[in-house]
């Protein structure tokens, strides 16, 4: 059955919005936030300025919206890592590694003024709360399976893990990121499953 015109229009709008957000984010990483203009975004995205203003009223609004999209993708990725673990402890360890790598790549690619723009305000507080809740759920599961210390509340361990792993944005190499994950795992008293017989 052919798609309804409404569905086609909505898909087009989603595609245009996604192109705008990606273009603005790339430009901000290349040139810094103040080097991005509405005209430049429109030109790079292949749309008119009039069309651009139908979606966003300014550069800051675009970048905050783009960051929200990235956060949603990161949360989904971390949740997937948790669910793929052979045990709750394995899933938590995978989340620690995944978040450390996100922070590492953020530190090597994002402009300082871009980080300053998107890491404050109500949107950032909501994002932080969602991330902490996701980690707290994973910690609680690992506690219940006897793979993480139980003398500290899961919310506190989640906050500790997140703040410690954010130091990965200052790491100079992936090996330093791995060491950081090991340190955080030790702080949690995290026990992961070992390979069974016949595995290396």
């Amino acid at each position: 059955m052919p798609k309804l015109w409404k569905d086609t229009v909505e898909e087009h709008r989603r595609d245009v919005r996604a192109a705008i957000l990606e273009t603005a984010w790339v430009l901000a990483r290349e040139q810094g936030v103040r080097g991005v203009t509405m005209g430049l975004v429109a030109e790079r995205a292949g749309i008119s300025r009039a069309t651009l203003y139908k979606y966003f009223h300014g550069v800051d609004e675009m970048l905050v919206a783009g960051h929200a999209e990235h956060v949603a993708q990161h949360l989904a990725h971390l949740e997937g890592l948790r669910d793929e673990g052979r045990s709750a402890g394995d899933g938590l360890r995978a989340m620690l590694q995944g978040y450390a790598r996100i922070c590492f790549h953020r530190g090597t690619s994002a402009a300082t003024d871009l980080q300053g723009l998107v890491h404050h305000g109500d949107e950032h507080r909501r994002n932080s709360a969602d991330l902490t809740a996701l980690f707290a759920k994973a910690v609680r599961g690992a506690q219940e399976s006897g793979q993480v210390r139980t003398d500290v509340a899961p919310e506190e361990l989640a906050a500790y893990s997140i703040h410690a792993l954010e130091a990965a944005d200052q790491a100079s190499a992936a090996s330093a990121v791995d060491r950081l994950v090991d340190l955080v795992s030790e702080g949690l008293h995290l026990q992961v499953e070992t390979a069974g017989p016949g595995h290396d």
Side-chain angles (χ1 to χ4, degrees), residues 25-166:
W25 194 262
V26 169
L27 286 170
R29 285 171 54 180
E30 291 176 351
Q31 305 182 26
V33 173
R34 299 310 157 206
V36 183
T37 65
M38 296 293 277
L40 185 57
V41 173
E43 179 184 347
R44 287 278 192 96
I47 59 176
S48 68
R49 290 186 61 172
T51 297
L52 178 59
Y53 276 102
K54 290 179 181 179
Y55 290 84
F56 297 100
H57 298 298
V59 171
D60 287 5
E61 182 186 355
M62 279 186 282
L63 294 174
V64 170
H67 182 251
E69 296 279 346
H70 293 158
V71 169
Q73 293 168 8
H74 290 160
L75 290 176
H77 173 64
L78 293 173
E79 192 169 12
L81 291 175
R82 181 199 66 195
D83 294 343
E84 290 171 4
R86 292 179 298 174
S87 68
D90 290 330
L92 176 57
R93 171 76 183 196
M95 282 182 63
L96 296 176
Q97 292 174 323
Y99 187 61
R101 288 170 184 155
I102 288 170
C103 294
F104 176 63
H105 290 300
R106 181 178 69 200
T108 60
S109 62
T112 301
D113 59 350
L114 177 57
Q115 294 298 319
L117 171 66
V118 300
H119 287 148
H120 80 282
D122 292 340
E123 185 72 30
H124 176 61
R125 283 188 285 274
R126 284 191 294 270
N127 293 338
S128 297
D130 289 343
L131 180 64
T132 301
L134 181 62
F135 266 96
K137 184 176 181 180
V139 169
R140 187 176 297 108
Q143 286 178 327
E144 291 171 353
S145 67
Q147 294 175 281
V148 162
R149 62 191 301 170
T150 57
D151 59 331
V152 181
E155 292 77 14
E156 292 180 36
L157 291 177
Y160 156 76
S161 300
I162 291 167
H163 288 298
L165 292 171
E166 286 174 351

